[in-house]
Amino acid sequence: MPRPRKALINLADTPYYHCVSRCVRRAYLCGKDEITGKSYEHRRQWVEDRLLFLAEVFCVDVCAYAVMSNHTHVVLRINKQKADALSVKDIIRRWHRLYKGMLLSQRYIDPAQCNSLTEAEIETVTSLAEIYRQRLYDISWFMRLLNEFIARRANKEDECTGHFWEGRFKSQALLDEASLTACMAYVDLNPVRACLADTPEASAHTSIQKRIKAARSNRQPEQLLPFAGNPSNNMPDSLPFRVEDYIQLVELSGRHFHPGRNGKIDNTASPILTRVGLENCDWNKMITGIETEFKSSVSIEKLTTQRQKHKYHG
Protein backbone atom coordinates (compact mmCIF):
# COMPACT_ATOMS: atom_id res chain seq x y z
CA MET A 1 0.00 0.00 0.00
CA PRO A 2 1.47 3.41 -0.96
CA ARG A 3 2.66 5.62 1.86
CA PRO A 4 0.99 9.04 2.26
CA ARG A 5 2.87 11.82 0.45
CA LYS A 6 3.32 13.74 3.71
CA ALA A 7 5.23 10.74 5.06
CA LEU A 8 7.57 10.76 2.04
CA ILE A 9 8.30 14.50 1.95
CA ASN A 10 9.57 15.90 5.21
CA LEU A 11 11.61 19.10 5.47
CA ALA A 12 12.99 17.94 8.81
CA ASP A 13 14.87 15.22 6.90
CA THR A 14 15.91 17.02 3.70
CA PRO A 15 14.72 19.68 1.23
CA TYR A 16 15.92 17.60 -1.78
CA TYR A 17 13.70 15.11 -3.64
CA HIS A 18 13.88 13.04 -6.82
CA CYS A 19 10.49 12.84 -8.56
CA VAL A 20 9.53 10.58 -11.46
CA SER A 21 6.30 10.71 -13.48
CA ARG A 22 5.37 7.93 -15.92
CA CYS A 23 2.71 7.74 -18.61
CA VAL A 24 -0.08 5.15 -18.38
CA ARG A 25 -0.81 2.43 -20.94
CA ARG A 26 2.61 2.97 -22.54
CA ALA A 27 1.31 6.29 -23.82
CA TYR A 28 3.87 8.48 -25.54
CA LEU A 29 4.97 11.61 -23.77
CA CYS A 30 7.67 12.18 -26.38
CA GLY A 31 9.64 10.06 -28.81
CA LYS A 32 8.30 8.27 -31.90
CA ASP A 33 5.61 5.61 -32.01
CA GLU A 34 7.20 2.66 -33.82
CA ILE A 35 3.78 1.31 -34.87
CA THR A 36 2.12 4.43 -36.28
CA GLY A 37 5.28 6.37 -37.09
CA LYS A 38 3.89 9.47 -35.38
CA SER A 39 6.44 11.69 -33.68
CA TYR A 40 5.83 13.25 -30.29
CA GLU A 41 9.26 14.85 -29.97
CA HIS A 42 7.82 18.38 -29.78
CA ARG A 43 6.31 17.52 -26.40
CA ARG A 44 9.76 17.48 -24.81
CA GLN A 45 9.83 21.25 -25.17
CA TRP A 46 6.36 21.48 -23.60
CA VAL A 47 7.65 19.73 -20.48
CA GLU A 48 10.89 21.70 -20.28
CA ASP A 49 9.16 25.06 -20.76
CA ARG A 50 6.48 24.28 -18.19
CA LEU A 51 9.00 22.95 -15.67
CA LEU A 52 11.19 26.06 -15.86
CA PHE A 53 8.14 28.35 -15.74
CA LEU A 54 6.94 26.68 -12.53
CA ALA A 55 10.44 27.08 -11.07
CA GLU A 56 10.02 30.86 -11.51
CA VAL A 57 6.65 30.90 -9.77
CA PHE A 58 7.10 28.32 -7.01
CA CYS A 59 9.57 28.39 -4.15
CA VAL A 60 10.80 25.04 -5.42
CA ASP A 61 14.23 24.97 -7.08
CA VAL A 62 15.08 22.70 -10.01
CA CYS A 63 18.45 20.98 -9.52
CA ALA A 64 18.30 18.52 -12.43
CA TYR A 65 15.84 17.19 -14.98
CA ALA A 66 15.57 14.90 -18.00
CA VAL A 67 12.57 14.55 -20.33
CA MET A 68 12.36 10.98 -21.63
CA SER A 69 9.98 9.25 -24.06
CA ASN A 70 7.36 8.08 -21.56
CA HIS A 71 8.54 9.56 -18.25
CA THR A 72 10.23 12.56 -16.69
CA HIS A 73 12.88 12.89 -13.97
CA VAL A 74 13.30 16.00 -11.82
CA VAL A 75 15.45 16.68 -8.77
CA LEU A 76 13.83 19.44 -6.72
CA ARG A 77 14.70 21.45 -3.64
CA ILE A 78 12.02 22.89 -1.38
CA ASN A 79 12.90 26.51 -0.56
CA LYS A 80 10.66 27.23 2.42
CA GLN A 81 12.80 30.18 3.55
CA LYS A 82 12.13 31.91 0.26
CA ALA A 83 8.38 31.35 0.61
CA ASP A 84 8.39 32.63 4.19
CA ALA A 85 10.14 35.83 3.08
CA LEU A 86 7.51 36.73 0.46
CA SER A 87 5.00 39.49 1.21
CA VAL A 88 1.26 38.96 0.84
CA LYS A 89 1.27 40.86 -2.46
CA ASP A 90 4.20 38.79 -3.74
CA ILE A 91 2.33 35.60 -2.89
CA ILE A 92 -0.85 36.76 -4.64
CA ARG A 93 1.03 37.89 -7.75
CA ARG A 94 2.81 34.56 -8.03
CA TRP A 95 -0.42 32.59 -7.60
CA HIS A 96 -2.15 34.71 -10.24
CA ARG A 97 0.44 33.55 -12.75
CA LEU A 98 -1.04 30.08 -12.25
CA TYR A 99 -4.72 30.86 -11.68
CA LYS A 100 -6.95 33.85 -12.29
CA GLY A 101 -7.66 34.06 -8.56
CA MET A 102 -10.54 35.56 -6.60
CA LEU A 103 -11.91 39.01 -7.41
CA LEU A 104 -10.93 40.10 -3.90
CA SER A 105 -7.29 39.09 -4.39
CA GLN A 106 -7.25 40.82 -7.78
CA ARG A 107 -8.42 44.03 -6.11
CA TYR A 108 -5.79 43.67 -3.37
CA ILE A 109 -2.88 43.85 -5.84
CA ASP A 110 -4.50 46.53 -8.03
CA PRO A 111 -3.02 49.93 -7.01
CA ALA A 112 -6.26 51.64 -8.02
CA GLN A 113 -8.45 49.47 -5.78
CA CYS A 114 -6.29 48.19 -2.90
CA ASN A 115 -6.97 51.24 -0.67
CA SER A 116 -10.73 50.72 -0.93
CA LEU A 117 -10.66 47.29 0.75
CA THR A 118 -12.18 47.00 4.20
CA GLU A 119 -10.29 45.58 7.16
CA ALA A 120 -12.30 42.37 6.94
CA GLU A 121 -11.52 42.01 3.22
CA ILE A 122 -7.79 42.53 3.84
CA GLU A 123 -7.90 39.90 6.57
CA THR A 124 -9.57 37.49 4.14
CA VAL A 125 -6.89 38.08 1.51
CA THR A 126 -4.14 37.65 4.09
CA SER A 127 -5.59 34.30 5.20
CA LEU A 128 -5.87 33.25 1.57
CA ALA A 129 -2.26 34.23 0.93
CA GLU A 130 -1.09 31.97 3.75
CA ILE A 131 -2.76 29.02 2.02
CA TYR A 132 -1.05 29.97 -1.25
CA ARG A 133 2.28 30.42 0.55
CA GLN A 134 2.20 26.80 1.74
CA ARG A 135 1.31 25.60 -1.75
CA LEU A 136 4.22 27.51 -3.30
CA TYR A 137 6.76 25.32 -1.51
CA ASP A 138 4.72 22.12 -1.82
CA ILE A 139 6.24 19.58 -4.23
CA SER A 140 2.86 17.88 -4.71
CA TRP A 141 1.37 21.14 -5.99
CA PHE A 142 4.43 21.72 -8.18
CA MET A 143 4.19 18.27 -9.78
CA ARG A 144 0.41 18.54 -10.07
CA LEU A 145 0.63 21.77 -12.09
CA LEU A 146 3.38 20.30 -14.24
CA ASN A 147 1.63 17.02 -15.01
CA GLU A 148 -1.92 18.36 -15.36
CA PHE A 149 -0.80 20.96 -17.89
CA ILE A 150 1.02 18.39 -20.02
CA ALA A 151 -1.80 15.84 -19.75
CA ARG A 152 -4.47 18.30 -20.89
CA ARG A 153 -2.36 19.50 -23.79
CA ALA A 154 -1.41 15.97 -24.89
CA ASN A 155 -5.00 14.70 -24.64
CA LYS A 156 -6.19 17.67 -26.68
CA GLU A 157 -3.60 16.94 -29.36
CA ASP A 158 -4.47 13.22 -29.33
CA GLU A 159 -8.21 14.03 -29.34
CA CYS A 160 -8.87 11.77 -26.38
CA THR A 161 -9.74 11.91 -22.70
CA GLY A 162 -8.71 10.01 -19.59
CA HIS A 163 -5.58 9.60 -17.53
CA PHE A 164 -2.28 10.42 -19.19
CA TRP A 165 0.00 9.90 -16.16
CA GLU A 166 0.09 7.22 -13.51
CA GLY A 167 -1.97 8.20 -10.47
CA ARG A 168 0.99 9.34 -8.38
CA PHE A 169 4.47 10.55 -9.10
CA LYS A 170 7.25 8.66 -7.37
CA SER A 171 9.37 10.62 -4.91
CA GLN A 172 12.65 9.74 -3.23
CA ALA A 173 14.23 11.74 -0.39
CA LEU A 174 17.92 12.60 -0.92
CA LEU A 175 19.28 12.67 2.60
CA ASP A 176 22.88 13.80 2.07
CA GLU A 177 25.16 15.55 -0.41
CA ALA A 178 26.45 12.23 -1.79
CA SER A 179 22.96 10.97 -2.62
CA LEU A 180 22.00 14.38 -4.06
CA THR A 181 25.02 14.42 -6.39
CA ALA A 182 24.57 10.78 -7.41
CA CYS A 183 20.88 11.28 -8.18
CA MET A 184 21.49 14.44 -10.22
CA ALA A 185 24.13 12.60 -12.27
CA TYR A 186 21.75 9.65 -12.71
CA VAL A 187 19.04 11.97 -14.02
CA ASP A 188 21.38 13.88 -16.34
CA LEU A 189 22.75 10.62 -17.80
CA ASN A 190 19.32 9.14 -18.61
CA PRO A 191 19.43 9.97 -22.36
CA VAL A 192 22.97 8.53 -22.63
CA ARG A 193 21.93 5.34 -20.83
CA ALA A 194 18.88 5.05 -23.11
CA CYS A 195 21.12 5.48 -26.20
CA LEU A 196 19.32 8.70 -27.13
CA ALA A 197 22.56 10.70 -26.95
CA ASP A 198 26.27 9.87 -27.15
CA THR A 199 27.42 12.48 -24.64
CA PRO A 200 25.91 14.66 -21.86
CA GLU A 201 26.28 17.85 -23.91
CA ALA A 202 24.27 16.23 -26.72
CA SER A 203 21.44 15.24 -24.36
CA ALA A 204 18.53 17.43 -25.44
CA HIS A 205 16.04 18.66 -22.83
CA THR A 206 18.26 17.91 -19.85
CA SER A 207 19.68 20.12 -17.15
CA ILE A 208 23.27 19.05 -17.93
CA GLN A 209 22.99 20.35 -21.49
CA LYS A 210 21.56 23.65 -20.24
CA ARG A 211 24.33 23.98 -17.64
CA ILE A 212 27.09 23.24 -20.18
CA LYS A 213 25.72 25.77 -22.68
CA ALA A 214 25.65 28.43 -19.96
CA ALA A 215 29.13 27.49 -18.69
CA ARG A 216 30.58 28.20 -22.13
CA SER A 217 29.67 31.84 -21.50
CA ASN A 218 31.04 31.84 -17.94
CA ARG A 219 27.58 31.89 -16.40
CA GLN A 220 24.97 29.59 -14.89
CA PRO A 221 21.35 29.18 -16.09
CA GLU A 222 19.01 31.37 -14.03
CA GLN A 223 16.18 28.82 -14.16
CA LEU A 224 18.24 26.17 -12.34
CA LEU A 225 19.61 26.15 -8.80
CA PRO A 226 23.24 27.26 -9.29
CA PHE A 227 26.42 25.63 -8.06
CA ALA A 228 28.50 27.57 -5.57
CA GLY A 229 31.51 25.61 -4.44
CA ASN A 230 32.40 24.60 -0.90
CA PRO A 231 29.61 25.37 1.59
CA SER A 232 30.12 28.43 3.79
CA ASN A 233 27.94 30.65 5.94
CA ASN A 234 28.14 33.52 3.44
CA MET A 235 27.61 31.68 0.17
CA PRO A 236 24.59 32.46 -2.02
CA ASP A 237 21.61 30.13 -2.17
CA SER A 238 23.04 27.27 -4.21
CA LEU A 239 24.12 23.66 -4.58
CA PRO A 240 26.96 22.81 -2.18
CA PHE A 241 29.60 21.80 -4.73
CA ARG A 242 31.47 23.17 -7.77
CA VAL A 243 30.02 23.10 -11.26
CA GLU A 244 33.24 21.86 -12.92
CA ASP A 245 33.45 18.97 -10.44
CA TYR A 246 29.85 18.03 -11.19
CA ILE A 247 30.30 18.12 -14.99
CA GLN A 248 33.35 15.87 -14.73
CA LEU A 249 31.50 13.53 -12.34
CA VAL A 250 28.69 13.11 -14.88
CA GLU A 251 31.27 12.39 -17.57
CA LEU A 252 33.16 9.86 -15.43
CA SER A 253 29.93 8.09 -14.44
CA GLY A 254 28.75 7.99 -18.05
CA ARG A 255 31.92 6.21 -19.21
CA HIS A 256 31.06 3.18 -17.07
CA PHE A 257 28.45 0.63 -18.06
CA HIS A 258 25.19 0.62 -16.15
CA PRO A 259 24.17 -2.99 -15.30
CA GLY A 260 20.64 -2.45 -16.58
CA ARG A 261 21.29 -0.08 -19.49
CA ASN A 262 23.16 -0.34 -22.80
CA GLY A 263 24.21 3.27 -23.24
CA LYS A 264 27.55 4.73 -22.16
CA ILE A 265 30.00 7.44 -23.24
CA ASP A 266 32.60 6.11 -25.67
CA ASN A 267 35.95 5.59 -23.95
CA THR A 268 37.71 7.06 -26.99
CA ALA A 269 35.94 10.42 -26.56
CA SER A 270 38.15 13.26 -25.33
CA PRO A 271 37.52 14.65 -21.80
CA ILE A 272 34.27 16.59 -21.52
CA LEU A 273 35.87 19.90 -20.56
CA THR A 274 37.98 19.69 -23.72
CA ARG A 275 35.04 18.63 -25.92
CA VAL A 276 32.79 21.50 -24.87
CA GLY A 277 35.52 24.15 -24.74
CA LEU A 278 35.63 24.56 -20.96
CA GLU A 279 39.15 23.31 -20.33
CA ASN A 280 40.52 26.84 -19.94
CA CYS A 281 37.29 28.36 -18.60
CA ASP A 282 37.61 30.97 -15.86
CA TRP A 283 35.67 28.96 -13.27
CA ASN A 284 36.46 31.40 -10.50
CA LYS A 285 34.89 34.24 -12.48
CA MET A 286 31.84 32.10 -13.12
CA ILE A 287 31.39 31.15 -9.47
CA THR A 288 31.99 34.58 -7.97
CA GLY A 289 29.50 36.10 -10.41
CA ILE A 290 26.64 34.16 -8.87
CA GLU A 291 26.06 36.79 -6.19
CA THR A 292 25.29 39.43 -8.80
CA GLU A 293 23.41 37.17 -11.19
CA PHE A 294 21.24 35.40 -8.62
CA LYS A 295 19.58 37.86 -6.22
CA SER A 296 18.30 35.48 -3.53
CA SER A 297 20.02 35.85 -0.17
CA VAL A 298 18.57 32.72 1.41
CA SER A 299 21.09 30.19 2.79
CA ILE A 300 21.04 26.60 1.60
CA GLU A 301 19.16 24.08 3.72
CA LYS A 302 21.36 22.06 6.05
CA LEU A 303 20.98 18.44 5.17
CA THR A 304 20.77 15.78 7.85
CA THR A 305 23.89 13.72 8.46
CA GLN A 306 21.90 10.52 8.46
CA ARG A 307 22.56 8.38 5.37
CA GLN A 308 20.25 5.79 3.93
CA LYS A 309 21.29 2.20 4.41
CA HIS A 310 21.58 0.44 1.08
CA LYS A 311 21.05 -3.28 0.57
CA TYR A 312 23.46 -4.96 -1.79
CA HIS A 313 22.29 -7.94 -3.80
CA GLY A 314 24.80 -10.46 -4.97
Side-chain angles (χ1 to χ4, degrees):
M1 183 175 181
R3 294 175 63 191
R5 185 69 63 191
K6 63 182 180 181
L8 298 174
I9 298 176
N10 187 349
L11 273 174
D13 294 333
T14 177
Y16 294 98
Y17 294 88
H18 171 217
C19 302
V20 184
S21 298
R22 297 185 182 278
C23 297
V24 297
R25 302 185 309 275
R26 296 183 180 180
Y28 276 83
L29 168 62
C30 308
K32 184 177 180 179
D33 190 329
E34 298 296 335
I35 298 177
T36 65
K38 185 175 180 179
S39 175
Y40 299 90
E41 282 299 293
H42 57 284
R43 292 180 178 176
R44 294 186 194 272
Q45 196 62 54
W46 292 2
V47 179
E48 188 171 27
D49 290 346
R50 181 65 174 179
L51 176 67
L52 298 178
F53 164 73
L54 292 175
E56 293 179 358
V57 178
F58 276 76
C59 298
V60 174
D61 302 312
V62 177
C63 303
Y65 67 87
V67 184
M68 305 302 290
S69 294
N70 65 352
H71 66 283
T72 62
H73 289 274
V74 291
V75 177
L76 303 173
R77 187 190 72 158
I78 300 172
N79 198 335
K80 184 177 183 296
Q81 291 91 334
K82 184 177 180 180
D84 289 342
L86 294 175
S87 68
V88 172
K89 286 189 176 181
D90 289 336
I91 292 289
I92 297 297
R93 290 191 184 100
R94 283 174 179 257
W95 197 253
H96 283 186
R97 295 182 67 184
L98 303 169
Y99 294 101
K100 186 177 180 180
M102 297 173 58
L103 179 60
L104 193 58
S105 62
Q106 293 174 16
R107 290 173 57 200
Y108 184 84
I109 60 172
D110 184 350
Q113 300 186 62
C114 62
N115 293 330
S116 64
L117 267 63
T118 66
E119 186 175 335
E121 288 174 328
I122 294 175
E123 185 176 341
T124 299
V125 174
T126 302
S127 299
L128 187 64
E130 291 309 308
I131 296 174
Y132 295 161
R133 188 191 304 276
Q134 293 179 28
R135 292 177 182 177
L136 287 177
Y137 65 86
D138 188 322
I139 282 181
S140 292
W141 270 92
F142 184 99
M143 294 300 295
R144 170 184 173 180
L145 292 182
L146 171 63
N147 290 344
E148 278 189 2
F149 178 87
I150 300 303
R152 291 177 187 276
R153 193 168 180 181
N155 281 348
K156 182 178 180 180
E157 183 180 61
D158 294 339
E159 297 181 342
C160 68
T161 58
H163 292 290
F164 185 76
W165 301 99
E166 290 181 353
R168 297 178 63 180
F169 65 89
K170 177 184 177 182
S171 65
Q172 296 174 312
L174 308 175
L175 298 179
D176 50 53
E177 291 179 12
S179 61
L180 169 63
T181 314
C183 187
M184 287 177 60
Y186 167 80
V187 168
D188 277 329
L189 281 170
N190 253 252
V192 172
R193 297 304 190 195
C195 299
L196 298 177
D198 294 328
T199 59
E201 64 270 24
S203 303
H205 307 290
T206 61
S207 51
I208 189 66
Q209 186 186 66
K210 184 173 285 292
R211 290 189 188 279
I212 290 172
K213 285 182 178 180
R216 285 170 170 164
S217 301
N218 276 338
R219 62 184 182 83
Q220 298 200 52
E222 294 184 14
Q223 304 98 324
L224 302 178
L225 186 63
F227 292 94
N230 295 326
S232 68
N233 292 332
N234 298 319
M235 75 176 187
D237 192 25
S238 45
L239 288 162
F241 29 86
R242 301 188 304 165
V243 62
E244 66 269 35
D245 291 341
Y246 177 72
I247 290 175
Q248 292 186 87
L249 173 66
V250 172
E251 169 83 353
L252 179 63
S253 303
R255 286 179 182 267
H256 291 83
F257 277 109
H258 186 287
R261 303 286 186 89
N262 295 323
K264 67 182 288 288
I265 300 170
D266 195 321
N267 287 330
T268 62
S270 58
I272 188 169
L273 298 187
T274 301
R275 291 200 313 266
V276 301
L278 296 177
E279 191 170 34
N280 300 314
C281 179
D282 188 349
W283 293 106
N284 185 61
K285 178 180 177 182
M286 180 177 171
I287 299 302
T288 55
I290 292 175
E291 290 184 282
T292 56
E293 188 170 342
F294 300 91
K295 304 300 182 181
S296 177
S297 60
V298 183
S299 296
I300 191 168
E301 293 279 359
K302 291 184 178 180
L303 302 180
T304 61
T305 56
Q306 178 185 2
R307 294 179 178 269
Q308 289 176 305
K309 295 180 180 179
H310 298 281
K311 293 182 179 180
Y312 295 92
H313 302 279

